[in-house]
Amino acid sequence: MDCIYVPKDKLLTFKLSEDIDDNQTDKLRRKIDNEITRFLPRKTIFDFSNVTFMDSAGIGMLLGRYKLIKMLGGELAITNANKQVEKIFELSRNIKNNSNSGG
Amino acid sequence: MLGIYDNEMKLEFASKSTNEAFARISVAAFASQLDPTIDELADIKTAVSEAVTNCIIHGYENTIGIVKIECKLKDNSIEIQISDTGKGIVDVEQAKKPLYTTKANLERSGMGFTIMESFMDEFKVESIPEIGTKITMKKYINKEKQEET
Ligand SMILES: Nc1ncnc2c1ncn2[C@@H]1O[C@H](COP(=O)(O)OP(=O)(O)OP(=O)(O)O)[C@@H](O)[C@H]1O
Ligand SMILES: [Mg+2]
Protein backbone atom coordinates (compact mmCIF):
# COMPACT_ATOMS: atom_id res chain seq x y z
CA MET A 1 0.00 0.00 0.00
CA ASP A 2 1.25 3.47 -0.93
CA CYS A 3 0.14 6.65 0.73
CA ILE A 4 0.18 10.15 -0.80
CA TYR A 5 -0.64 13.35 1.06
CA VAL A 6 -1.33 16.66 -0.73
CA PRO A 7 -1.04 19.38 1.96
CA LYS A 8 -2.66 22.22 0.02
CA ASP A 9 -5.85 20.17 -0.46
CA LYS A 10 -5.49 18.32 2.85
CA LEU A 11 -6.07 15.24 0.74
CA LEU A 12 -4.79 11.81 1.81
CA THR A 13 -4.83 8.97 -0.72
CA PHE A 14 -4.18 5.32 0.08
CA LYS A 15 -3.33 3.25 -2.96
CA LEU A 16 -4.20 -0.24 -1.79
CA SER A 17 -2.56 -3.09 -3.63
CA GLU A 18 -2.92 -6.34 -1.74
CA ASP A 19 -5.74 -8.87 -1.48
CA ILE A 20 -7.71 -7.44 1.43
CA ASP A 21 -8.60 -10.33 3.73
CA ASP A 22 -8.30 -11.17 7.41
CA ASN A 23 -4.57 -11.81 6.93
CA GLN A 24 -3.95 -8.21 5.77
CA THR A 25 -6.40 -6.07 7.72
CA ASP A 26 -4.42 -5.74 10.98
CA LYS A 27 -1.38 -4.43 9.16
CA LEU A 28 -3.45 -2.07 6.98
CA ARG A 29 -5.44 -0.81 9.95
CA ARG A 30 -2.26 0.17 11.83
CA LYS A 31 -0.68 1.94 8.86
CA ILE A 32 -3.83 3.78 7.83
CA ASP A 33 -4.68 5.01 11.32
CA ASN A 34 -1.13 6.19 11.71
CA GLU A 35 -1.30 8.37 8.59
CA ILE A 36 -4.80 9.67 9.32
CA THR A 37 -3.97 10.77 12.84
CA ARG A 38 -0.69 12.27 11.61
CA PHE A 39 -2.14 14.40 8.77
CA LEU A 40 -5.74 14.92 9.92
CA PRO A 41 -6.85 15.16 6.26
CA ARG A 42 -9.99 16.93 5.09
CA LYS A 43 -10.60 14.08 2.69
CA THR A 44 -9.30 10.52 2.61
CA ILE A 45 -9.43 8.45 -0.58
CA PHE A 46 -9.06 4.69 -0.75
CA ASP A 47 -7.96 3.89 -4.29
CA PHE A 48 -8.79 0.26 -5.14
CA SER A 49 -7.22 0.21 -8.67
CA ASN A 50 -4.73 -2.51 -7.72
CA VAL A 51 -6.98 -4.57 -5.47
CA THR A 52 -8.18 -7.78 -7.10
CA PHE A 53 -9.90 -9.28 -4.05
CA MET A 54 -11.62 -8.19 -0.86
CA ASP A 55 -13.87 -10.06 1.60
CA SER A 56 -15.89 -9.14 4.69
CA ALA A 57 -12.72 -8.54 6.70
CA GLY A 58 -12.12 -5.57 4.38
CA ILE A 59 -15.61 -4.19 5.02
CA GLY A 60 -15.04 -4.40 8.77
CA MET A 61 -11.69 -2.64 8.41
CA LEU A 62 -13.14 0.14 6.21
CA LEU A 63 -16.11 0.73 8.52
CA GLY A 64 -13.67 1.17 11.39
CA ARG A 65 -11.64 3.73 9.39
CA TYR A 66 -14.86 5.50 8.40
CA LYS A 67 -15.73 5.94 12.07
CA LEU A 68 -12.31 7.36 12.85
CA ILE A 69 -12.37 9.74 9.86
CA LYS A 70 -15.85 10.97 10.76
CA MET A 71 -14.86 11.51 14.37
CA LEU A 72 -11.97 13.67 13.15
CA GLY A 73 -14.33 15.68 10.94
CA GLY A 74 -13.08 14.43 7.58
CA GLU A 75 -14.73 12.70 4.64
CA LEU A 76 -14.00 9.42 2.93
CA ALA A 77 -14.22 8.25 -0.67
CA ILE A 78 -13.60 4.91 -2.35
CA THR A 79 -12.52 4.80 -6.00
CA ASN A 80 -11.79 2.29 -8.75
CA ALA A 81 -13.22 -0.83 -7.11
CA ASN A 82 -13.28 -3.80 -9.50
CA LYS A 83 -16.35 -5.97 -9.99
CA GLN A 84 -15.60 -8.44 -7.18
CA VAL A 85 -14.95 -5.64 -4.67
CA GLU A 86 -17.96 -3.63 -5.85
CA LYS A 87 -20.18 -6.69 -5.32
CA ILE A 88 -19.10 -6.85 -1.68
CA PHE A 89 -19.80 -3.12 -1.21
CA GLU A 90 -23.19 -3.49 -2.84
CA LEU A 91 -24.18 -6.39 -0.58
CA SER A 92 -23.08 -4.47 2.48
CA ARG A 93 -25.17 -1.45 1.39
CA ASN A 94 -28.20 -3.70 0.86
CA ILE A 95 -27.80 -5.29 4.28
CA LYS A 96 -27.53 -1.88 5.95
CA ASN A 97 -30.61 -0.56 4.12
CA ASN A 98 -32.66 -3.63 5.00
CA SER A 99 -31.66 -3.52 8.64
CA ASN A 100 -32.51 0.19 8.85
CA SER A 101 -35.92 -0.11 7.23
CA GLY A 102 -36.64 -3.27 9.17
CA GLY A 103 -36.40 -1.27 12.40
CA MET B 1 -12.94 -41.29 -3.80
CA LEU B 2 -14.51 -41.04 -7.23
CA GLY B 3 -17.87 -42.65 -6.67
CA ILE B 4 -20.67 -40.74 -8.30
CA TYR B 5 -18.64 -37.59 -8.87
CA ASP B 6 -16.71 -36.49 -11.94
CA ASN B 7 -13.77 -35.31 -9.86
CA GLU B 8 -12.88 -34.73 -6.20
CA MET B 9 -10.17 -33.15 -4.08
CA LYS B 10 -9.34 -32.74 -0.40
CA LEU B 11 -7.18 -30.17 1.30
CA GLU B 12 -6.07 -29.87 4.92
CA PHE B 13 -4.03 -27.04 6.38
CA ALA B 14 -3.17 -25.30 9.64
CA SER B 15 -5.56 -22.58 10.78
CA LYS B 16 -3.25 -19.67 10.06
CA SER B 17 -4.54 -16.58 8.32
CA THR B 18 -1.67 -16.72 5.80
CA ASN B 19 -3.44 -19.82 4.41
CA GLU B 20 -6.64 -17.93 3.50
CA ALA B 21 -5.28 -16.85 0.12
CA PHE B 22 -3.86 -20.33 -0.48
CA ALA B 23 -7.26 -21.91 0.23
CA ARG B 24 -9.36 -19.69 -2.05
CA ILE B 25 -6.84 -19.82 -4.89
CA SER B 26 -6.57 -23.63 -4.66
CA VAL B 27 -10.35 -24.10 -4.80
CA ALA B 28 -10.59 -21.63 -7.68
CA ALA B 29 -7.89 -23.54 -9.58
CA PHE B 30 -9.81 -26.79 -9.06
CA ALA B 31 -13.10 -25.17 -10.09
CA SER B 32 -11.51 -23.89 -13.32
CA GLN B 33 -12.12 -27.31 -14.89
CA LEU B 34 -15.77 -26.37 -15.18
CA ASP B 35 -14.80 -23.36 -17.30
CA PRO B 36 -16.51 -20.78 -15.07
CA THR B 37 -16.78 -17.10 -15.91
CA ILE B 38 -14.53 -14.64 -14.08
CA ASP B 39 -17.52 -13.56 -11.98
CA GLU B 40 -18.43 -17.11 -11.01
CA LEU B 41 -14.84 -17.78 -10.01
CA ALA B 42 -14.78 -14.58 -7.95
CA ASP B 43 -17.96 -15.67 -6.12
CA ILE B 44 -16.40 -19.04 -5.27
CA LYS B 45 -13.18 -17.41 -4.05
CA THR B 46 -15.08 -15.00 -1.84
CA ALA B 47 -17.32 -17.68 -0.31
CA VAL B 48 -14.31 -19.93 0.39
CA SER B 49 -12.41 -17.04 1.93
CA GLU B 50 -15.33 -16.32 4.28
CA ALA B 51 -15.76 -19.93 5.40
CA VAL B 52 -12.04 -20.53 5.92
CA THR B 53 -11.60 -17.26 7.82
CA ASN B 54 -14.47 -18.23 10.13
CA CYS B 55 -12.82 -21.58 10.93
CA ILE B 56 -9.59 -19.78 11.77
CA ILE B 57 -10.86 -16.83 13.82
CA HIS B 58 -14.04 -18.25 15.38
CA GLY B 59 -13.62 -22.05 15.29
CA TYR B 60 -10.07 -22.20 16.60
CA GLU B 61 -9.80 -18.63 17.95
CA ASN B 62 -6.32 -18.32 19.43
CA THR B 63 -5.37 -21.97 19.00
CA ILE B 64 -4.12 -23.76 15.91
CA GLY B 65 -6.19 -26.57 14.44
CA ILE B 66 -6.80 -28.16 11.07
CA VAL B 67 -9.13 -26.67 8.45
CA LYS B 68 -10.46 -29.18 5.98
CA ILE B 69 -11.80 -28.51 2.48
CA GLU B 70 -13.46 -31.05 0.22
CA CYS B 71 -14.57 -30.25 -3.32
CA LYS B 72 -16.67 -32.38 -5.61
CA LEU B 73 -17.50 -31.77 -9.24
CA LYS B 74 -20.59 -33.21 -10.85
CA ASP B 75 -21.84 -32.11 -14.27
CA ASN B 76 -21.77 -28.31 -14.13
CA SER B 77 -21.73 -27.98 -10.35
CA ILE B 78 -19.11 -27.68 -7.65
CA GLU B 79 -19.85 -28.68 -4.06
CA ILE B 80 -17.49 -27.32 -1.42
CA GLN B 81 -17.35 -28.48 2.20
CA ILE B 82 -15.28 -26.50 4.67
CA SER B 83 -14.98 -27.71 8.25
CA ASP B 84 -13.19 -27.25 11.53
CA THR B 85 -13.19 -29.21 14.79
CA GLY B 86 -13.22 -26.04 16.86
CA LYS B 87 -15.62 -24.55 19.32
CA GLY B 88 -18.81 -24.76 17.26
CA ILE B 89 -21.88 -22.51 17.18
CA VAL B 90 -24.61 -22.63 19.83
CA ASP B 91 -27.35 -20.88 17.82
CA VAL B 92 -26.81 -21.32 14.08
CA GLU B 93 -29.94 -19.41 13.03
CA GLN B 94 -28.83 -16.37 15.00
CA ALA B 95 -25.25 -16.63 13.68
CA LYS B 96 -26.56 -16.59 10.08
CA LYS B 97 -28.41 -13.30 10.53
CA PRO B 98 -26.87 -10.39 8.57
CA LEU B 99 -24.60 -8.20 10.73
CA TYR B 100 -24.59 -10.71 13.61
CA THR B 101 -21.10 -11.09 15.01
CA THR B 102 -19.62 -12.18 18.30
CA LYS B 103 -16.46 -10.21 17.56
CA ALA B 104 -17.70 -6.66 16.96
CA ASN B 105 -14.85 -5.33 19.08
CA LEU B 106 -12.44 -6.66 16.46
CA GLU B 107 -14.23 -4.71 13.71
CA ARG B 108 -16.01 -7.72 12.24
CA SER B 109 -18.93 -6.73 10.06
CA GLY B 110 -20.98 -9.91 10.53
CA MET B 111 -21.35 -10.38 6.78
CA GLY B 112 -19.55 -13.68 6.23
CA PHE B 113 -22.55 -16.01 6.23
CA THR B 114 -24.64 -13.54 4.22
CA ILE B 115 -21.92 -13.40 1.55
CA MET B 116 -21.68 -17.21 1.33
CA GLU B 117 -25.45 -17.52 1.11
CA SER B 118 -25.89 -14.89 -1.61
CA PHE B 119 -22.83 -15.77 -3.74
CA MET B 120 -23.50 -19.53 -3.85
CA ASP B 121 -26.60 -21.40 -5.06
CA GLU B 122 -26.90 -23.71 -2.06
CA PHE B 123 -25.61 -23.11 1.45
CA LYS B 124 -25.86 -25.09 4.69
CA VAL B 125 -24.34 -24.74 8.16
CA GLU B 126 -24.03 -27.68 10.52
CA SER B 127 -22.48 -27.11 13.92
CA ILE B 128 -22.22 -28.75 17.32
CA PRO B 129 -20.75 -26.80 20.25
CA GLU B 130 -17.29 -28.09 21.27
CA ILE B 131 -17.29 -30.49 18.29
CA GLY B 132 -17.01 -28.21 15.28
CA THR B 133 -18.63 -26.57 12.29
CA LYS B 134 -19.18 -27.70 8.72
CA ILE B 135 -20.24 -25.46 5.84
CA THR B 136 -21.58 -27.07 2.67
CA MET B 137 -22.13 -24.92 -0.38
CA LYS B 138 -22.78 -25.55 -4.02
CA LYS B 139 -22.57 -23.49 -7.16
CA TYR B 140 -23.86 -24.23 -10.64
CA ILE B 141 -21.40 -23.02 -13.26
CA ASN B 142 -22.36 -21.41 -16.55
CA LYS B 143 -25.92 -21.20 -15.38
CA GLU B 144 -26.74 -18.29 -17.65
CA LYS B 145 -25.23 -19.92 -20.71
CA GLN B 146 -27.18 -23.14 -20.07
CA GLU B 147 -30.45 -21.37 -19.48
CA GLU B 148 -30.14 -19.69 -22.88
CA THR B 149 -29.85 -22.99 -24.79
N1 LIG C 1 -16.47 -21.93 12.09
C1 LIG C 1 -17.07 -21.28 13.12
N2 LIG C 1 -16.88 -21.70 14.41
C2 LIG C 1 -17.47 -21.06 15.44
N3 LIG C 1 -18.28 -19.98 15.31
C3 LIG C 1 -18.50 -19.51 14.06
C4 LIG C 1 -17.91 -20.13 12.91
N4 LIG C 1 -18.33 -19.45 11.81
C5 LIG C 1 -19.12 -18.47 12.26
N5 LIG C 1 -19.24 -18.49 13.60
C6 LIG C 1 -20.07 -17.56 14.43
O1 LIG C 1 -21.04 -16.96 13.59
C7 LIG C 1 -20.92 -15.53 13.63
C8 LIG C 1 -21.26 -14.94 12.27
O2 LIG C 1 -20.30 -15.29 11.28
P1 LIG C 1 -20.07 -14.32 10.03
O3 LIG C 1 -18.98 -14.87 9.19
O4 LIG C 1 -21.38 -14.07 9.37
O5 LIG C 1 -19.62 -12.94 10.71
P2 LIG C 1 -18.19 -12.61 11.38
O6 LIG C 1 -17.19 -13.63 11.03
O7 LIG C 1 -18.42 -12.35 12.83
O8 LIG C 1 -17.83 -11.23 10.66
P3 LIG C 1 -17.22 -11.07 9.18
O9 LIG C 1 -17.36 -12.40 8.48
O10 LIG C 1 -18.05 -10.03 8.52
O11 LIG C 1 -15.80 -10.66 9.37
C9 LIG C 1 -19.50 -15.26 14.09
O12 LIG C 1 -19.36 -14.01 14.73
C10 LIG C 1 -19.25 -16.43 15.06
O13 LIG C 1 -19.80 -16.17 16.33
MG1 LIG D 1 -16.86 -14.27 9.10
Side-chain angles (χ1 to χ4, degrees):
Chain A
M1 180 182 72
D2 289 330
C3 169
I4 308 144
Y5 183 61
V6 183
K8 86 169 160 53
D9 302 323
K10 297 192 92 185
L11 180 68
L12 181 63
T13 304
F14 293 102
K15 256 190 117 52
L16 300 156
S17 51
E18 45 283 282
D19 278 13
I20 304 179
D21 62 10
D22 163 65
N23 185 40
Q24 296 294 337
T25 42
D26 280 350
K27 195 182 73 194
L28 288 173
R29 193 176 274 131
R30 267 198 305 275
K31 280 193 192 166
I32 292 169
D33 286 1
N34 230 326
E35 302 296 331
I36 290 175
T37 47
R38 180 153 77 113
F39 292 116
L40 299 171
R42 184 185 56 78
K43 185 165 184 176
T44 303
I45 296 176
F46 290 98
D47 183 346
F48 273 73
S49 323
N50 296 322
V51 175
T52 50
F53 180 88
M54 182 180 82
D55 65 16
S56 67
I59 294 284
M61 189 273 285
L62 287 171
L63 284 175
R65 308 297 61 68
Y66 174 68
K67 280 183 197 155
L68 174 70
I69 289 166
K70 234 175 71 174
M71 199 180 74
L72 297 171
E75 46 179 301
L76 176 152
I78 286 163
T79 57
N80 300 319
N82 79 359
K83 224 170 154 188
Q84 189 273 337
V85 173
E86 186 46 48
K87 199 168 169 181
I88 300 280
F89 282 134
E90 195 188 309
L91 185 63
S92 115
R93 280 193 295 269
N94 287 343
I95 294 172
K96 289 263 145 62
N97 291 341
N98 284 343
S99 72
N100 290 344
S101 63
Chain B
M1 277 232 223
L2 290 179
I4 60 165
Y5 298 103
D6 298 333
N7 200 357
E8 299 181 46
M9 73 95 156
K10 274 185 199 175
L11 210 61
E12 287 184 15
F13 52 90
S15 61
K16 292 172 179 268
S17 58
T18 38
N19 285 330
E20 288 156 9
F22 162 73
R24 62 177 176 262
I25 290 165
S26 304
V27 173
F30 186 71
S32 300
Q33 298 168 55
L34 297 177
D35 199 18
T37 63
I38 290 171
D39 294 349
E40 286 167 336
L41 216 47
D43 288 351
I44 291 172
K45 268 193 192 173
T46 314
V48 168
S49 196
E50 295 297 343
V52 168
T53 302
N54 280 355
C55 298
I56 295 172
I57 62 168
H58 301 299
Y60 295 118
E61 279 191 304
N62 304 316
T63 63
I64 295 292
I66 298 291
V67 179
K68 200 161 139 185
I69 301 185
E70 285 188 48
C71 293
K72 292 166 179 152
L73 307 184
K74 175 87 180 139
D75 300 327
N76 69 324
S77 74
I78 177 163
E79 186 184 293
I80 305 167
Q81 265 183 6
I82 299 179
S83 58
D84 64 67
T85 54
K87 74 168 191 184
I89 303 172
V90 176
D91 186 343
V92 170
E93 282 317 303
Q94 182 183 43
K96 277 160 65 179
K97 289 204 176 108
L99 304 181
Y100 178 83
T101 178
T102 47
K103 287 201 176 359
N105 54 329
L106 297 176
E107 295 189 341
R108 296 281 155 200
S109 62
M111 278 181 52
F113 280 149
T114 311
I115 288 175
M116 294 179 231
E117 192 157 22
S118 55
F119 286 22
M120 301 293 278
D121 294 311
E122 289 171 26
F123 166 74
K124 186 171 76 180
V125 183
E126 293 164 283
S127 189
I128 302 173
E130 307 310 325
I131 301 283
T133 302
K134 181 162 85 182
I135 308 296
T136 307
M137 27 196 197
K138 194 167 179 178
K139 192 167 182 74
Y140 295 92
I141 299 302
N142 287 317
K143 235 175 20 183
E144 268 131 54
K145 223 193 299 182
Q146 305 215 336
E147 274 160 15
E148 274 166 31
T149 53

